[in-house]
């Protein structure tokens, strides 16, 4: 295992311990609205701090980009992109579907990735050029050949509902041709599920780098294709993503266009 991936796993498990303790004591949660329909708790912040502290023990000079703490400037050669609790609304409501997401970018390229589901104990990992794993076993994207009978995931633009007018026709076209479409509330886990063949594809817009960085690498290393809505190869810059095996992605992009 790559040494930096090993540190990322330790950091993810450390954050997972913070999250599971918080989940067991949700009656004590103090919830703050960052903006409309977008929430943060002390658990989010404590989990992010646990991740940064664990990584800094080995790599104190690196840069950190976190959802809650912003940028902690350091050596830009190594950038850790962190979502300490992806699926905060699920967490608040007691829905056991959320995760820790950590990615390392080396010289601007995704290099290491961890997505950890602390409730199920599922650990998704990837190193650039070395494949993707779930709990130590190699994973691959599904073999779905088209949208028909496939199961896909997305999210509605709940933070800016003015975008519904533009989004719904795209959703309707894909939904009409597919077996079903899920809306789970965790972008990172959706991507991990695509990588492991649990979902056949995923599409969403309005995302931040920490929502998709780890998932993007894990999908790619599992043999999948990741693009933006136009089929381009830089979804983090666009804030939109399509993921799945190449055949499925091509057909989703066609509908989105």
């Amino acid at each position: 295992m790559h040494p930096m991936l090993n540190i990322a796993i330790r950091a993810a498990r450390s954050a997972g311990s913070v999250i599971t303790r918080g989940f067991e004591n949700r009656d004590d949660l103090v919830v703050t609205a960052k903006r409309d329909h977008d929430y943060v708790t002390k658990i989010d912040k404590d989990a992010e701090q646990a991740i940064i502290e664990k990584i800094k023990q080995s790599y104190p000079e690196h840069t950190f980009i976190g959802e809650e703490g912003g940028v902690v400037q350091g050596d830009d050669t190594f950038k850790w992109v962190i979502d300490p609790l992806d699926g905060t609304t699920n967490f608040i409501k007691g829905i056991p579907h959320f995760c820790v997401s950590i990615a390392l970018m080396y010289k601007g390229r995704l290099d290491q990735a961890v997505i950890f589901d602390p409730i199920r104990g599922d650990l998704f990992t990837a190193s650039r050029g070395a494949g993707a794993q779930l709990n130590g076993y190699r994973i691959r994207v599904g073999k779905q050949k088209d949208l028909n009978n496939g199961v896909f995931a997305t999210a509605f633009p709940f933070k800016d509902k003015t975008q519904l007018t533009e989004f719904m026709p795209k959703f309707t076209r894909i939904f009409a041709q597919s077996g079903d479409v899920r809306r789970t509330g965790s972008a990172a886990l959706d991507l991990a599920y695509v990588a492991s063949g649990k979902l056949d594809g995923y599409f969403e817009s309005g995302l931040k780098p920490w929502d998709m960085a780890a998932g993007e690498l894990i999908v790619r290393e599992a043999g999948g294709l990741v693009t933006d809505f136009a089929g381009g190869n830089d979804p983090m810059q666009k804030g939109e993503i399509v993921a799945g095996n190449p055949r499925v992605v091509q057909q989703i992009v066609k509908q989105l266009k």
Side-chain angles (χ1 to χ4, degrees):
M1 180 182 294
H2 193 286
M4 289 187 180
L5 179 61
N6 191 35
I7 295 299
I9 291 170
R10 293 181 190 177
R13 291 194 182 279
S14 180
S17 296
V18 172
I19 292 166
T20 51
R21 287 196 301 270
F23 194 63
E24 292 167 357
N25 299 282
R26 286 182 300 104
D27 290 343
D28 300 327
L29 280 178
V30 176
V31 181
T32 304
K34 294 192 285 187
R35 58 189 73 86
D36 285 349
H37 317 297
D38 191 8
Y39 304 100
V40 64
T41 71
K42 186 175 184 295
I43 301 301
D44 296 70
K45 296 175 181 178
D46 288 351
E48 183 169 294
Q49 191 59 38
I51 292 167
I52 292 173
E53 286 178 359
K54 182 64 70 174
I55 296 173
K56 274 192 168 185
Q57 289 174 6
S58 299
Y59 307 110
E61 73 282 5
H62 289 184
T63 290
F64 297 86
I65 303 170
E67 178 176 11
E68 308 308 336
V71 178
V72 179
Q73 195 63 52
D75 180 359
D76 275 349
T77 303
F78 299 91
K79 293 182 180 178
W80 295 90
V81 185
I82 301 162
D83 191 338
L85 178 49
D86 186 61
T88 298
T89 299
N90 284 348
F91 175 84
I92 293 167
K93 291 294 185 180
I95 301 169
H97 191 79
F98 42 79
C99 67
V100 181
S101 177
I102 303 172
L104 172 65
M105 300 189 74
Y106 174 65
K107 294 184 177 179
R109 296 182 65 184
L110 289 167
D111 194 71
Q112 308 294 327
V114 174
I115 293 173
F116 178 52
D117 177 344
I119 299 299
R120 297 177 182 86
D122 283 342
L123 181 71
F124 301 85
T125 60
S127 294
R128 182 161 58 90
Q133 296 185 327
L134 166 57
N135 298 330
Y137 293 93
R138 184 70 180 267
I139 53 175
R140 299 290 293 178
V141 294
K143 298 178 180 179
Q144 184 73 19
K145 295 180 180 180
D146 50 35
L147 301 185
N148 186 39
N149 294 323
V151 177
F152 304 92
T154 190
F156 299 104
F158 66 97
K159 294 179 185 177
D160 183 4
K161 294 183 180 178
T162 62
Q163 296 181 15
L164 271 174
T165 303
E166 179 182 350
F167 176 80
M168 287 309 296
K170 298 175 181 178
F171 170 82
T172 301
R173 287 194 297 271
I174 293 170
F175 179 68
Q177 296 185 49
S178 67
D180 203 355
V181 177
R182 303 280 188 262
R183 192 267 187 265
T184 72
S186 173
L189 273 180
D190 283 342
L191 287 165
Y193 281 16
V194 169
S196 55
K198 300 174 189 291
L199 290 169
D200 295 303
Y202 167 69
F203 60 100
E204 186 175 351
S205 61
L207 294 172
K208 300 296 185 181
W210 47 78
D211 295 315
M212 64 175 95
E216 178 180 339
L217 181 63
I218 292 171
V219 171
R220 291 188 190 280
E221 289 298 324
L225 179 64
V226 180
T227 74
D228 56 41
F229 278 15
N233 61 3
D234 198 358
M236 281 201 290
Q237 285 292 107
K238 293 284 189 68
E240 56 190 35
I241 192 167
V242 182
N245 71 44
R247 286 185 178 183
V248 162
V249 168
Q250 184 180 29
Q251 293 183 47
I252 293 175
V253 168
K254 181 179 178 181
Q255 297 305 320
L256 292 172
K257 286 181 177 179

